[in-house]
Amino acid sequence: MSDDTFDTDRLDDVVLALLWANSFEEKFGGHRAWKSLPWDALDRLHVRGLISEARSRAHSVTLDDAAFERGRALFEQWFAAPPSASVPAPAKATARTDTKTTTTTVHQFKITLDHIKPPIWRRIQLPSNATFWDLHCALNDAMGWEDAHMHEFRIGGKRNNVQIGVPMEDNMPWGDDPGLAGWDVPITAHLAEPGTSCVYLYDFGDDWNHKVLLEAILPAEAKAKYPRCLAGARACPPEDCGGVPGYQQICTALADPEKADEGAEELLDWLGGDFDPEAFDAGKVKFHSAARRLKALRGSMR
């Protein structure tokens, strides 16, 4: 066996182990894994019949039983123990942020609403074993949204973009993939190192884009209740106000009501005159149960 062949085989084993480490259970059985790994190795694993076609539109690949078990064995051989988040348990994951954390660390995020100046932002913490559904609920509550519209996390570039939110049975008109269920995906699958980030889109009509930056992974405080909001600035825009243009129109009209045009006056009347763009108090943020919200969502989808 040549050195080149040996190096290729070792690379394929490493990729298979990483696929297993990031795998998740499909709704109807089987295992899938994110495919943002070397394409040549993925192609070789496909030729060997271990995974599905890597170059399809899907953002993940299917692992057959042999590939899953071999990946597990390789990972445990090299790293001694499997990662706790490798195969999340959907039924249990959703309740993690409703009580004090059972993990030793917390993820600290800074969330900033795009295209608005001065910036609207929040700094929150939640347990490191949280899911993207937990992050969605905590982010919604901290920002001040009402969770009345669809949402989606977008991770990666155009080539390997992953969409995480509330998957639909049919492909959504705004994308090629129905997306992954947020309650099935741990945040550590994509946000494991400080400095990594993703996009959170809320309300596909108004298009509120948020940058979600992982600032730090810190020791959990024994008596703290998570999630929690540490800081922030400025009020969340009103729901259904027309996105960034409508929000800017409201702020301009509030700053100088006498110069407000007819459209701005209608927006102010609709608001009722009780909106202060500068108002925010981190101490008044209330977080609601992610588990109960998921239960309500599933009930509405039946």
PDB file of all heavy atoms in Angstrom, residues 262-294:
ATOM      1  N   GLU A 262     -48.462  61.147   5.024  1.00  0.00           N
ATOM      2  CA  GLU A 262     -49.719  60.451   5.311  1.00  0.00           C
ATOM      3  C   GLU A 262     -49.483  59.002   5.726  1.00  0.00           C
ATOM      4  O   GLU A 262     -50.108  58.504   6.659  1.00  0.00           O
ATOM      5  CB  GLU A 262     -50.625  60.486   4.084  1.00  0.00           C
ATOM      6  CG  GLU A 262     -52.001  59.857   4.321  1.00  0.00           C
ATOM      7  CD  GLU A 262     -52.907  59.978   3.113  1.00  0.00           C
ATOM      8  OE1 GLU A 262     -52.569  60.770   2.190  1.00  0.00           O
ATOM      9  OE2 GLU A 262     -53.945  59.302   3.086  1.00  0.00           O
ATOM     10  N   GLY A 263     -48.523  58.329   5.042  1.00  0.00           N
ATOM     11  CA  GLY A 263     -48.236  56.944   5.387  1.00  0.00           C
ATOM     12  C   GLY A 263     -47.681  56.808   6.788  1.00  0.00           C
ATOM     13  O   GLY A 263     -48.037  55.892   7.530  1.00  0.00           O
ATOM     14  N   ALA A 264     -46.799  57.737   7.184  1.00  0.00           N
ATOM     15  CA  ALA A 264     -46.227  57.705   8.529  1.00  0.00           C
ATOM     16  C   ALA A 264     -47.287  57.978   9.583  1.00  0.00           C
ATOM     17  O   ALA A 264     -47.299  57.368  10.659  1.00  0.00           O
ATOM     18  CB  ALA A 264     -45.095  58.723   8.629  1.00  0.00           C
ATOM     19  N   GLU A 265     -48.199  58.909   9.271  1.00  0.00           N
ATOM     20  CA  GLU A 265     -49.275  59.211  10.220  1.00  0.00           C
ATOM     21  C   GLU A 265     -50.161  57.989  10.443  1.00  0.00           C
ATOM     22  O   GLU A 265     -50.610  57.727  11.569  1.00  0.00           O
ATOM     23  CB  GLU A 265     -50.103  60.390   9.699  1.00  0.00           C
ATOM     24  CG  GLU A 265     -49.370  61.719   9.754  1.00  0.00           C
ATOM     25  CD  GLU A 265     -50.217  62.858   9.210  1.00  0.00           C
ATOM     26  OE1 GLU A 265     -51.297  62.561   8.649  1.00  0.00           O
ATOM     27  OE2 GLU A 265     -49.792  64.026   9.337  1.00  0.00           O
ATOM     28  N   GLU A 266     -50.420  57.244   9.378  1.00  0.00           N
ATOM     29  CA  GLU A 266     -51.221  56.028   9.515  1.00  0.00           C
ATOM     30  C   GLU A 266     -50.507  55.005  10.395  1.00  0.00           C
ATOM     31  O   GLU A 266     -51.139  54.325  11.218  1.00  0.00           O
ATOM     32  CB  GLU A 266     -51.506  55.440   8.131  1.00  0.00           C
ATOM     33  CG  GLU A 266     -52.460  56.266   7.286  1.00  0.00           C
ATOM     34  CD  GLU A 266     -52.690  55.665   5.914  1.00  0.00           C
ATOM     35  OE1 GLU A 266     -52.054  54.624   5.613  1.00  0.00           O
ATOM     36  OE2 GLU A 266     -53.503  56.217   5.141  1.00  0.00           O
ATOM     37  N   LEU A 267     -49.181  54.892  10.231  1.00  0.00           N
ATOM     38  CA  LEU A 267     -48.416  53.968  11.065  1.00  0.00           C
ATOM     39  C   LEU A 267     -48.463  54.389  12.532  1.00  0.00           C
ATOM     40  O   LEU A 267     -48.616  53.551  13.433  1.00  0.00           O
ATOM     41  CB  LEU A 267     -46.965  53.905  10.584  1.00  0.00           C
ATOM     42  CG  LEU A 267     -46.683  53.068   9.338  1.00  0.00           C
ATOM     43  CD1 LEU A 267     -45.244  53.257   8.883  1.00  0.00           C
ATOM     44  CD2 LEU A 267     -46.951  51.591   9.614  1.00  0.00           C
ATOM     45  N   LEU A 268     -48.352  55.684  12.792  1.00  0.00           N
ATOM     46  CA  LEU A 268     -48.394  56.178  14.168  1.00  0.00           C
ATOM     47  C   LEU A 268     -49.764  55.944  14.789  1.00  0.00           C
ATOM     48  O   LEU A 268     -49.880  55.579  15.968  1.00  0.00           O
ATOM     49  CB  LEU A 268     -48.031  57.666  14.203  1.00  0.00           C
ATOM     50  CG  LEU A 268     -46.579  58.016  13.836  1.00  0.00           C
ATOM     51  CD1 LEU A 268     -46.366  59.523  13.923  1.00  0.00           C
ATOM     52  CD2 LEU A 268     -45.601  57.288  14.750  1.00  0.00           C
ATOM     53  N   ASP A 269     -50.811  56.154  14.013  1.00  0.00           N
ATOM     54  CA  ASP A 269     -52.158  55.879  14.522  1.00  0.00           C
ATOM     55  C   ASP A 269     -52.314  54.395  14.830  1.00  0.00           C
ATOM     56  O   ASP A 269     -52.939  54.013  15.828  1.00  0.00           O
ATOM     57  CB  ASP A 269     -53.200  56.306  13.486  1.00  0.00           C
ATOM     58  CG  ASP A 269     -53.308  57.822  13.351  1.00  0.00           C
ATOM     59  OD1 ASP A 269     -52.865  58.519  14.281  1.00  0.00           O
ATOM     60  OD2 ASP A 269     -53.818  58.295  12.311  1.00  0.00           O
ATOM     61  N   TRP A 270     -51.756  53.562  13.966  1.00  0.00           N
ATOM     62  CA  TRP A 270     -51.832  52.111  14.163  1.00  0.00           C
ATOM     63  C   TRP A 270     -51.089  51.691  15.433  1.00  0.00           C
ATOM     64  O   TRP A 270     -51.538  50.824  16.181  1.00  0.00           O
ATOM     65  CB  TRP A 270     -51.238  51.426  12.933  1.00  0.00           C
ATOM     66  CG  TRP A 270     -51.002  49.959  13.061  1.00  0.00           C
ATOM     67  CD1 TRP A 270     -51.943  48.981  13.156  1.00  0.00           C
ATOM     68  CD2 TRP A 270     -49.740  49.293  13.106  1.00  0.00           C
ATOM     69  NE1 TRP A 270     -51.345  47.745  13.257  1.00  0.00           N
ATOM     70  CE2 TRP A 270     -49.992  47.905  13.219  1.00  0.00           C
ATOM     71  CE3 TRP A 270     -48.420  49.734  13.037  1.00  0.00           C
ATOM     72  CZ2 TRP A 270     -48.965  46.972  13.286  1.00  0.00           C
ATOM     73  CZ3 TRP A 270     -47.390  48.793  13.100  1.00  0.00           C
ATOM     74  CH2 TRP A 270     -47.673  47.433  13.227  1.00  0.00           C
ATOM     75  N   LEU A 271     -49.955  52.374  15.729  1.00  0.00           N
ATOM     76  CA  LEU A 271     -49.191  52.053  16.930  1.00  0.00           C
ATOM     77  C   LEU A 271     -49.898  52.499  18.204  1.00  0.00           C
ATOM     78  O   LEU A 271     -49.692  51.922  19.267  1.00  0.00           O
ATOM     79  CB  LEU A 271     -47.818  52.732  16.869  1.00  0.00           C
ATOM     80  CG  LEU A 271     -46.763  52.091  15.972  1.00  0.00           C
ATOM     81  CD1 LEU A 271     -45.515  52.957  15.912  1.00  0.00           C
ATOM     82  CD2 LEU A 271     -46.415  50.700  16.486  1.00  0.00           C
ATOM     83  N   GLY A 272     -50.703  53.519  18.094  1.00  0.00           N
ATOM     84  CA  GLY A 272     -51.402  54.010  19.279  1.00  0.00           C
ATOM     85  C   GLY A 272     -50.609  54.994  20.107  1.00  0.00           C
ATOM     86  O   GLY A 272     -51.005  55.346  21.220  1.00  0.00           O
ATOM     87  N   GLY A 273     -49.440  55.392  19.612  1.00  0.00           N
ATOM     88  CA  GLY A 273     -48.676  56.427  20.297  1.00  0.00           C
ATOM     89  C   GLY A 273     -47.884  55.979  21.502  1.00  0.00           C
ATOM     90  O   GLY A 273     -47.402  56.826  22.274  1.00  0.00           O
ATOM     91  N   ASP A 274     -47.716  54.664  21.723  1.00  0.00           N
ATOM     92  CA  ASP A 274     -47.004  54.213  22.920  1.00  0.00           C
ATOM     93  C   ASP A 274     -45.703  53.480  22.587  1.00  0.00           C
ATOM     94  O   ASP A 274     -45.226  52.661  23.363  1.00  0.00           O
ATOM     95  CB  ASP A 274     -47.903  53.307  23.761  1.00  0.00           C
ATOM     96  CG  ASP A 274     -48.386  52.094  22.986  1.00  0.00           C
ATOM     97  OD1 ASP A 274     -48.103  52.022  21.765  1.00  0.00           O
ATOM     98  OD2 ASP A 274     -49.026  51.210  23.589  1.00  0.00           O
ATOM     99  N   PHE A 275     -45.100  53.781  21.442  1.00  0.00           N
ATOM    100  CA  PHE A 275     -43.856  53.125  21.062  1.00  0.00           C
ATOM    101  C   PHE A 275     -42.677  54.068  21.242  1.00  0.00           C
ATOM    102  O   PHE A 275     -42.655  55.167  20.675  1.00  0.00           O
ATOM    103  CB  PHE A 275     -43.923  52.654  19.603  1.00  0.00           C
ATOM    104  CG  PHE A 275     -42.637  52.027  19.111  1.00  0.00           C
ATOM    105  CD1 PHE A 275     -42.194  50.819  19.635  1.00  0.00           C
ATOM    106  CD2 PHE A 275     -41.873  52.658  18.142  1.00  0.00           C
ATOM    107  CE1 PHE A 275     -41.007  50.251  19.193  1.00  0.00           C
ATOM    108  CE2 PHE A 275     -40.691  52.095  17.688  1.00  0.00           C
ATOM    109  CZ  PHE A 275     -40.253  50.884  18.219  1.00  0.00           C
ATOM    110  N   ASP A 276     -41.699  53.647  22.036  1.00  0.00           N
ATOM    111  CA  ASP A 276     -40.476  54.417  22.262  1.00  0.00           C
ATOM    112  C   ASP A 276     -39.302  53.626  21.704  1.00  0.00           C
ATOM    113  O   ASP A 276     -38.906  52.609  22.281  1.00  0.00           O
ATOM    114  CB  ASP A 276     -40.272  54.678  23.749  1.00  0.00           C
ATOM    115  CG  ASP A 276     -38.995  55.473  24.040  1.00  0.00           C
ATOM    116  OD1 ASP A 276     -38.286  55.829  23.077  1.00  0.00           O
ATOM    117  OD2 ASP A 276     -38.713  55.722  25.224  1.00  0.00           O
ATOM    118  N   PRO A 277     -38.718  54.029  20.572  1.00  0.00           N
ATOM    119  CA  PRO A 277     -37.636  53.262  19.948  1.00  0.00           C
ATOM    120  C   PRO A 277     -36.412  53.080  20.832  1.00  0.00           C
ATOM    121  O   PRO A 277     -35.642  52.138  20.627  1.00  0.00           O
ATOM    122  CB  PRO A 277     -37.280  54.094  18.703  1.00  0.00           C
ATOM    123  CG  PRO A 277     -38.478  54.938  18.440  1.00  0.00           C
ATOM    124  CD  PRO A 277     -39.066  55.219  19.790  1.00  0.00           C
ATOM    125  N   GLU A 278     -36.219  53.956  21.819  1.00  0.00           N
ATOM    126  CA  GLU A 278     -35.019  53.888  22.656  1.00  0.00           C
ATOM    127  C   GLU A 278     -35.207  53.060  23.922  1.00  0.00           C
ATOM    128  O   GLU A 278     -34.253  52.839  24.668  1.00  0.00           O
ATOM    129  CB  GLU A 278     -34.575  55.314  23.044  1.00  0.00           C
ATOM    130  CG  GLU A 278     -34.316  56.219  21.858  1.00  0.00           C
ATOM    131  CD  GLU A 278     -33.270  55.645  20.913  1.00  0.00           C
ATOM    132  OE1 GLU A 278     -32.269  55.082  21.390  1.00  0.00           O
ATOM    133  OE2 GLU A 278     -33.466  55.751  19.684  1.00  0.00           O
ATOM    134  N   ALA A 279     -36.409  52.606  24.187  1.00  0.00           N
ATOM    135  CA  ALA A 279     -36.689  51.943  25.459  1.00  0.00           C
ATOM    136  C   ALA A 279     -36.265  50.478  25.454  1.00  0.00           C
ATOM    137  O   ALA A 279     -36.634  49.721  24.548  1.00  0.00           O
ATOM    138  CB  ALA A 279     -38.176  52.052  25.778  1.00  0.00           C
ATOM    139  N   PHE A 280     -35.470  50.091  26.445  1.00  0.00           N
ATOM    140  CA  PHE A 280     -35.162  48.683  26.675  1.00  0.00           C
ATOM    141  C   PHE A 280     -34.581  48.521  28.066  1.00  0.00           C
ATOM    142  O   PHE A 280     -33.735  49.307  28.497  1.00  0.00           O
ATOM    143  CB  PHE A 280     -34.162  48.128  25.659  1.00  0.00           C
ATOM    144  CG  PHE A 280     -33.790  46.691  25.945  1.00  0.00           C
ATOM    145  CD1 PHE A 280     -34.709  45.686  25.723  1.00  0.00           C
ATOM    146  CD2 PHE A 280     -32.547  46.373  26.470  1.00  0.00           C
ATOM    147  CE1 PHE A 280     -34.385  44.365  26.020  1.00  0.00           C
ATOM    148  CE2 PHE A 280     -32.217  45.064  26.769  1.00  0.00           C
ATOM    149  CZ  PHE A 280     -33.136  44.054  26.540  1.00  0.00           C
ATOM    150  N   ASP A 281     -35.036  47.492  28.767  1.00  0.00           N
ATOM    151  CA  ASP A 281     -34.544  47.166  30.105  1.00  0.00           C
ATOM    152  C   ASP A 281     -34.327  45.656  30.171  1.00  0.00           C
ATOM    153  O   ASP A 281     -35.293  44.884  30.159  1.00  0.00           O
ATOM    154  CB  ASP A 281     -35.558  47.615  31.169  1.00  0.00           C
ATOM    155  CG  ASP A 281     -35.065  47.393  32.594  1.00  0.00           C
ATOM    156  OD1 ASP A 281     -34.035  46.699  32.771  1.00  0.00           O
ATOM    157  OD2 ASP A 281     -35.707  47.895  33.536  1.00  0.00           O
ATOM    158  N   ALA A 282     -33.065  45.235  30.220  1.00  0.00           N
ATOM    159  CA  ALA A 282     -32.752  43.801  30.251  1.00  0.00           C
ATOM    160  C   ALA A 282     -33.402  43.109  31.444  1.00  0.00           C
ATOM    161  O   ALA A 282     -33.748  41.922  31.371  1.00  0.00           O
ATOM    162  CB  ALA A 282     -31.242  43.594  30.273  1.00  0.00           C
ATOM    163  N   GLY A 283     -33.572  43.838  32.544  1.00  0.00           N
ATOM    164  CA  GLY A 283     -34.154  43.245  33.742  1.00  0.00           C
ATOM    165  C   GLY A 283     -35.624  42.908  33.599  1.00  0.00           C
ATOM    166  O   GLY A 283     -36.169  42.145  34.406  1.00  0.00           O
ATOM    167  N   LYS A 284     -36.292  43.464  32.592  1.00  0.00           N
ATOM    168  CA  LYS A 284     -37.715  43.211  32.395  1.00  0.00           C
ATOM    169  C   LYS A 284     -38.001  42.115  31.365  1.00  0.00           C
ATOM    170  O   LYS A 284     -39.157  41.804  31.093  1.00  0.00           O
ATOM    171  CB  LYS A 284     -38.420  44.501  31.976  1.00  0.00           C
ATOM    172  CG  LYS A 284     -38.429  45.573  33.072  1.00  0.00           C
ATOM    173  CD  LYS A 284     -39.203  46.802  32.631  1.00  0.00           C
ATOM    174  CE  LYS A 284     -39.237  47.852  33.735  1.00  0.00           C
ATOM    175  NZ  LYS A 284     -39.996  49.065  33.322  1.00  0.00           N
ATOM    176  N   VAL A 285     -36.956  41.548  30.782  1.00  0.00           N
ATOM    177  CA  VAL A 285     -37.155  40.481  29.798  1.00  0.00           C
ATOM    178  C   VAL A 285     -37.661  39.224  30.506  1.00  0.00           C
ATOM    179  O   VAL A 285     -37.100  38.790  31.515  1.00  0.00           O
ATOM    180  CB  VAL A 285     -35.839  40.169  29.054  1.00  0.00           C
ATOM    181  CG1 VAL A 285     -36.006  38.926  28.176  1.00  0.00           C
ATOM    182  CG2 VAL A 285     -35.412  41.361  28.214  1.00  0.00           C
ATOM    183  N   LYS A 286     -38.721  38.652  29.976  1.00  0.00           N
ATOM    184  CA  LYS A 286     -39.287  37.420  30.526  1.00  0.00           C
ATOM    185  C   LYS A 286     -39.191  36.313  29.486  1.00  0.00           C
ATOM    186  O   LYS A 286     -39.581  36.506  28.330  1.00  0.00           O
ATOM    187  CB  LYS A 286     -40.744  37.632  30.940  1.00  0.00           C
ATOM    188  CG  LYS A 286     -40.916  38.595  32.098  1.00  0.00           C
ATOM    189  CD  LYS A 286     -42.380  38.704  32.508  1.00  0.00           C
ATOM    190  CE  LYS A 286     -42.557  39.654  33.692  1.00  0.00           C
ATOM    191  NZ  LYS A 286     -43.983  39.766  34.110  1.00  0.00           N
ATOM    192  N   PHE A 287     -38.671  35.179  29.908  1.00  0.00           N
ATOM    193  CA  PHE A 287     -38.535  34.039  29.004  1.00  0.00           C
ATOM    194  C   PHE A 287     -39.654  33.040  29.273  1.00  0.00           C
ATOM    195  O   PHE A 287     -39.939  32.703  30.426  1.00  0.00           O
ATOM    196  CB  PHE A 287     -37.178  33.369  29.201  1.00  0.00           C
ATOM    197  CG  PHE A 287     -36.023  34.232  28.765  1.00  0.00           C
ATOM    198  CD1 PHE A 287     -35.318  34.990  29.693  1.00  0.00           C
ATOM    199  CD2 PHE A 287     -35.657  34.296  27.433  1.00  0.00           C
ATOM    200  CE1 PHE A 287     -34.262  35.797  29.293  1.00  0.00           C
ATOM    201  CE2 PHE A 287     -34.608  35.099  27.023  1.00  0.00           C
ATOM    202  CZ  PHE A 287     -33.909  35.852  27.960  1.00  0.00           C
ATOM    203  N   HIS A 288     -40.264  32.574  28.202  1.00  0.00           N
ATOM    204  CA  HIS A 288     -41.378  31.642  28.304  1.00  0.00           C
ATOM    205  C   HIS A 288     -40.922  30.227  27.955  1.00  0.00           C
ATOM    206  O   HIS A 288     -39.877  30.024  27.329  1.00  0.00           O
ATOM    207  CB  HIS A 288     -42.514  32.097  27.384  1.00  0.00           C
ATOM    208  CG  HIS A 288     -42.982  33.492  27.672  1.00  0.00           C
ATOM    209  ND1 HIS A 288     -43.789  33.804  28.738  1.00  0.00           N
ATOM    210  CD2 HIS A 288     -42.721  34.675  27.039  1.00  0.00           C
ATOM    211  CE1 HIS A 288     -44.025  35.103  28.755  1.00  0.00           C
ATOM    212  NE2 HIS A 288     -43.385  35.655  27.734  1.00  0.00           N
ATOM    213  N   SER A 289     -41.695  29.250  28.357  1.00  0.00           N
ATOM    214  CA  SER A 289     -41.322  27.852  28.211  1.00  0.00           C
ATOM    215  C   SER A 289     -41.177  27.439  26.749  1.00  0.00           C
ATOM    216  O   SER A 289     -42.137  27.508  25.974  1.00  0.00           O
ATOM    217  CB  SER A 289     -42.364  26.963  28.892  1.00  0.00           C
ATOM    218  OG  SER A 289     -42.156  25.606  28.562  1.00  0.00           O
ATOM    219  N   ALA A 290     -39.968  26.985  26.400  1.00  0.00           N
ATOM    220  CA  ALA A 290     -39.742  26.465  25.045  1.00  0.00           C
ATOM    221  C   ALA A 290     -40.503  25.165  24.834  1.00  0.00           C
ATOM    222  O   ALA A 290     -41.000  24.886  23.739  1.00  0.00           O
ATOM    223  CB  ALA A 290     -38.245  26.246  24.815  1.00  0.00           C
ATOM    224  N   ALA A 291     -40.614  24.356  25.880  1.00  0.00           N
ATOM    225  CA  ALA A 291     -41.316  23.076  25.775  1.00  0.00           C
ATOM    226  C   ALA A 291     -42.804  23.278  25.514  1.00  0.00           C
ATOM    227  O   ALA A 291     -43.403  22.598  24.674  1.00  0.00           O
ATOM    228  CB  ALA A 291     -41.104  22.260  27.048  1.00  0.00           C
ATOM    229  N   ARG A 292     -43.425  24.211  26.233  1.00  0.00           N
ATOM    230  CA  ARG A 292     -44.850  24.459  26.022  1.00  0.00           C
ATOM    231  C   ARG A 292     -45.113  25.051  24.646  1.00  0.00           C
ATOM    232  O   ARG A 292     -46.127  24.742  24.011  1.00  0.00           O
ATOM    233  CB  ARG A 292     -45.385  25.385  27.127  1.00  0.00           C
ATOM    234  CG  ARG A 292     -45.566  24.683  28.464  1.00  0.00           C
ATOM    235  CD  ARG A 292     -46.457  25.483  29.389  1.00  0.00           C
ATOM    236  NE  ARG A 292     -45.802  26.699  29.850  1.00  0.00           N
ATOM    237  CZ  ARG A 292     -45.067  26.786  30.944  1.00  0.00           C
ATOM    238  NH1 ARG A 292     -44.861  25.713  31.682  1.00  0.00           N
ATOM    239  NH2 ARG A 292     -44.514  27.934  31.303  1.00  0.00           N
ATOM    240  N   ARG A 293     -44.221  25.898  24.184  1.00  0.00           N
ATOM    241  CA  ARG A 293     -44.399  26.469  22.849  1.00  0.00           C
ATOM    242  C   ARG A 293     -44.281  25.397  21.773  1.00  0.00           C
ATOM    243  O   ARG A 293     -45.005  25.428  20.776  1.00  0.00           O
ATOM    244  CB  ARG A 293     -43.378  27.580  22.631  1.00  0.00           C
ATOM    245  CG  ARG A 293     -43.770  28.840  23.385  1.00  0.00           C
ATOM    246  CD  ARG A 293     -42.600  29.730  23.677  1.00  0.00           C
ATOM    247  NE  ARG A 293     -42.244  30.596  22.566  1.00  0.00           N
ATOM    248  CZ  ARG A 293     -41.417  31.639  22.708  1.00  0.00           C
ATOM    249  NH1 ARG A 293     -40.896  31.920  23.882  1.00  0.00           N
ATOM    250  NH2 ARG A 293     -41.117  32.396  21.667  1.00  0.00           N
ATOM    251  N   LEU A 294     -43.376  24.456  21.975  1.00  0.00           N
ATOM    252  CA  LEU A 294     -43.245  23.376  21.002  1.00  0.00           C
ATOM    253  C   LEU A 294     -44.476  22.482  21.027  1.00  0.00           C
ATOM    254  O   LEU A 294     -44.963  22.042  19.977  1.00  0.00           O
ATOM    255  CB  LEU A 294     -41.988  22.557  21.288  1.00  0.00           C
ATOM    256  CG  LEU A 294     -41.744  21.379  20.333  1.00  0.00           C
ATOM    257  CD1 LEU A 294     -41.665  21.854  18.892  1.00  0.00           C
ATOM    258  CD2 LEU A 294     -40.471  20.640  20.731  1.00  0.00           C
TER     259      LEU A 294
END
